[in-house]
Amino acid sequence: MADSDNKIKIEKIKGFRDHYPEDMEIRHSIFTRITETAEDFGYKRIDFPSLEYLDLYKLKSGSELVNQTFSFVDKGGREVTMIPEATPSTVRLLTARKGMPKPVRWYSFPKVWRYEEPQEGRFREHYQFNADLFGIDSAKVDAEIIGLATSILDSLGLSGIYEININDRYLMEYILKDLNINDINNAFSIIDKYRKISRDSFVEMFRKLDANDENINKIIDFLSEKLDMNSLPKKLKKLLNNYKNIEDRIKRIQETSEYVSYYTQSTINFDFSVVRGLSYYTGIVFEAFDITGKLRAILGGGRYNNLATLLSGEDIPAIGFALGDAVIELLLKRQNLWERNMRKVSYYVCVLNDVNPEYPITIAQKIRKTNKIASLDFTGRKLPAQLKSATDFDYSIIIGNDEIKNNSVTLKNMKTVEQKVLSFDDFIKSL
RNA sequence: GCCGGGGUGGGGUAAUGGACAUCCUUGGGGACUGUGGAUCCCUUGACCCGGGUUCGAUUCCCGGUCCCGGCCCCA
């Protein structure tokens, strides 16, 4: 870029994405399918600011999170952050209206931000779909949320390429305490690393939590394989010193799993290594995984019964999940499903030179009134050039002085190349 | 925050320590008067940024930046 051109070159900010029309067309189609599925379940859409007080996140996650957010002090001296996730905002909206009739079913599809190094399927800004159900704490609603999640994946054509892995924070805590491990948070973060680190370093880290080798081996044994729900009780009886007190909890997990199977054919496992990073989860946690194991979790969520209490003092049971657009895009592209699939019928109106615009505009407006797409070519170019612009459309319409004189429409199917002349009235009827 | 690999017109590419930087596509103009979704001709347009080595750097070296990927972390 020569200086004499007096241009400045602005590059895209690291980790952010541009979306051109050919990309947006597909993206919008996918997003619409996702939100329509939520609507079909009776979930209502909400939205909230992209900027929140940093305190909203300090409440539940500690100060380390600050390093991974886009945070700054605004001109009014407020410590604010680009929202890194939707759940705290969602709960803020819920608790700000006292006495909302329960249950509340809400979804949102905001952009969220995180300050980290971009890599496959991870950007500093991405879209994240969220769905939450407030006011009920039962296996049935746990299953509904998971069922909504699977219905969304299934509706995108991803059936059979993912599985659901379930765990329960309450159960985990019980097990760890039963094995005399009391530093629960640290234990969680070690367990979260189980599939990434060696057995030796796993043992080493647990020893630092004063766990004895016998119990560590029990944990490893329990972590080593995903379980189907039926074998869970047997496994736990062997593992735990005191099984009785946790029996109801196991039953609930089994029920949840059974109910989820009414929504989807997808495999549901119990997986003790599913921990989820957020500290506010209190019960069931779940993730959908690509069965090839190549990608990170496709979506994840869980029950968080005390976040509302933290924010407002009001006790509101809650469960939800989140789904990022980046991983979905990777998956769909891998399955050759990243394509527009809900496109309206489209017309390209070629307007020949010297034609009064009234007639073509009238035709375009008639088309648009029937919920179809009409685009007018006012370039005055030669017909072949206009037809070239029409390539992406289903039909082209040619309007010249002949058509105006005869009150007719020349309609060309751009795929079959078939062409016919209709009267204006017949054309309108054909829409 | 760390590590590796990259960066040539709008998109896709070729070559090069030295002269007009290749080809395709797209854009613009023209040939050809409403169907040639063309063809032909002309044309606009690029070596990521800064510094160093050199007579001379797009090319070699260093730093930055962005892209791709991996780690850390994971919302």
Side-chain angles (χ1 to χ4, degrees):
Chain A
M1 210 60 65
D3 287 333
S4 57
D5 286 348
N6 205 21
K7 291 177 196 160
I8 27 172
K9 184 175 183 180
I10 306 288
E11 287 193 308
K12 191 154 55 72
I13 291 178
K14 183 176 183 171
F16 287 70
R17 297 171 290 172
D18 293 325
H19 299 299
Y20 284 89
E22 61 276 15
D23 175 33
M24 268 325 273
E25 196 171 25
I26 299 170
R27 193 168 296 277
H28 181 249
S29 160
I30 304 289
F31 284 20
T32 302
R33 179 143 293 173
I34 293 171
T35 56
E36 279 181 354
T37 304
E39 296 274 348
D40 290 348
F41 272 68
Y43 286 64
K44 308 282 192 191
R45 186 163 191 161
I46 59 165
D47 198 23
F48 32 75
S50 300
L51 213 55
E52 294 272 12
Y53 282 107
L54 186 57
D55 284 345
L56 186 60
Y57 307 96
K58 281 183 175 167
L59 263 178
K60 51 89 186 171
S61 293
S63 57
E64 283 177 20
L65 171 142
V66 177
N67 301 325
Q68 289 158 49
T69 56
F70 276 90
S71 299
F72 57 94
V73 177
D74 76 2
K75 288 182 180 178
R78 288 171 280 256
E79 226 183 359
V80 294
T81 186
M82 305 295 288
I83 60 170
E85 58 157 330
T87 307
S89 300
T90 305
V91 174
R92 183 174 63 70
L93 265 69
L94 181 80
T95 55
R97 279 194 176 174
K98 298 291 177 198
M100 288 271 298
K102 309 292 186 307
V104 170
R105 290 180 166 93
W106 280 352
Y107 76 93
S108 59
F109 213 147
K111 276 184 176 176
V112 298
W113 294 265
R114 54 175 69 169
Y115 198 96
E116 64 177 359
E117 286 310 305
Q119 50 193 283
E120 189 179 33
R122 308 178 77 174
F123 302 97
R124 290 186 170 180
E125 174 183 72
H126 71 284
Y127 291 93
Q128 194 185 59
F129 172 84
N130 289 265
D132 296 274
L133 195 158
F134 299 99
I136 303 171
D137 184 354
S138 75
K140 287 172 195 143
V141 301
D142 288 359
E144 175 178 308
I145 279 288
I146 300 170
L148 171 57
T150 59
S151 297
I152 286 171
L153 296 181
D154 293 346
S155 80
L156 295 173
L158 295 173
S159 317
I161 73 147
Y162 73 93
E163 58 188 14
I164 299 289
N165 295 331
I166 290 176
N167 192 6
D168 188 295
R169 281 282 184 95
Y170 182 89
L171 176 67
M172 278 183 99
E173 200 168 329
Y174 183 89
I175 292 171
L176 291 168
K177 283 184 174 156
D178 186 82
L179 299 175
N180 287 317
I181 295 162
N182 292 308
D183 189 346
I184 302 297
N185 282 338
N186 275 323
F188 278 4
S189 81
I190 300 168
I191 289 170
D192 189 38
K193 291 184 178 68
Y194 173 72
R195 293 188 197 286
K196 293 183 195 165
I197 61 180
S198 69
R199 187 190 169 107
D200 285 350
S201 40
F202 185 86
V203 171
E204 195 54 40
M205 289 166 95
F206 255 105
R207 278 183 183 148
K208 284 184 186 147
L209 301 184
D210 292 332
N212 68 42
D213 284 9
E214 190 198 337
N215 285 340
I216 295 173
N217 284 331
K218 279 184 175 178
I219 291 171
I220 289 174
D221 178 45
F222 192 53
L223 273 169
S224 60
E225 52 177 349
K226 293 177 204 163
L227 303 166
D228 71 74
M229 293 298 162
N230 294 330
S231 60
L232 187 57
K234 203 169 77 187
K235 195 85 178 175
L236 281 172
K237 271 178 200 160
K238 223 166 57 185
L239 175 72
L240 295 170
N241 299 312
N242 189 348
Y243 174 77
K244 269 268 177 265
N245 294 337
I246 204 72
E247 217 160 9
D248 286 352
R249 199 74 192 181
I250 307 298
K251 198 171 282 174
R252 170 154 169 179
I253 295 166
Q254 287 181 303
E255 274 175 17
T256 304
S257 165
E258 186 196 333
Y259 300 159
V260 172
S261 74
Y262 304 153
Y263 291 89
T264 182
Q265 309 274 353
S266 301
T267 310
I268 304 149
N269 308 300
F270 183 87
D271 185 343
F272 198 63
S273 70
V274 172
V275 175
R276 307 288 302 150
L278 287 168
S279 58
Y280 52 64
Y281 288 119
T282 57
I284 190 168
V285 285
F286 61 93
E287 292 182 336
F289 273 95
D290 162 33
I291 52 173
T292 68
K294 294 258 164 55
L295 302 174
R296 70 198 75 249
I298 300 164
L299 59 82
R303 178 160 287 285
Y304 52 100
N305 281 350
N306 53 26
L307 196 54
T309 318
L310 265 171
L311 280 174
S312 70
E314 196 181 352
D315 226 6
I316 306 172
I319 181 165
F321 74 94
L323 162 71
D325 73 310
V327 178
I328 286 292
E329 181 175 343
L330 283 176
L331 271 175
L332 290 174
K333 281 182 174 164
R334 211 180 60 188
Q335 303 297 117
N336 289 320
L337 293 170
W338 183 254
E339 54 195 18
R340 60 192 175 199
N341 52 22
M342 298 197 303
R343 202 183 176 211
K344 295 179 186 174
V345 177
S346 58
Y347 293 80
Y348 193 86
V349 184
C350 302
V351 183
L352 297 178
N353 54 339
D354 298 337
V355 165
N356 184 301
E358 181 184 356
Y359 190 62
I361 290 173
T362 304
I363 288 170
Q365 286 296 88
K366 291 282 186 194
I367 293 169
R368 291 164 186 153
K369 290 234 171 71
T370 64
N371 198 28
K372 298 183 178 71
I373 294 165
S375 187
L376 286 155
D377 191 318
F378 285 137
T379 59
R381 292 175 297 177
K382 302 261 163 53
L383 185 55
Q386 295 198 32
L387 285 172
K388 192 180 173 190
S389 297
T391 307
D392 285 340
F393 289 72
D394 298 311
Y395 299 94
S396 60
I397 286 170
I398 299 161
I399 301 300
N401 287 320
D402 291 353
E403 282 79 9
I404 291 183
K405 195 166 63 190
N406 302 325
N407 203 36
S408 65
V409 173
T410 300
L411 179 68
K412 188 182 179 78
N413 183 317
M414 294 307 284
K415 291 193 181 69
T416 64
V417 195
E418 191 186 346
Q419 180 174 318
K420 57 187 171 183
V421 179
L422 299 170
S423 75
F424 178 82
D425 291 338
D426 285 347
F427 172 70
I428 301 303
K429 277 183 214 149
S430 77
L431 287 171

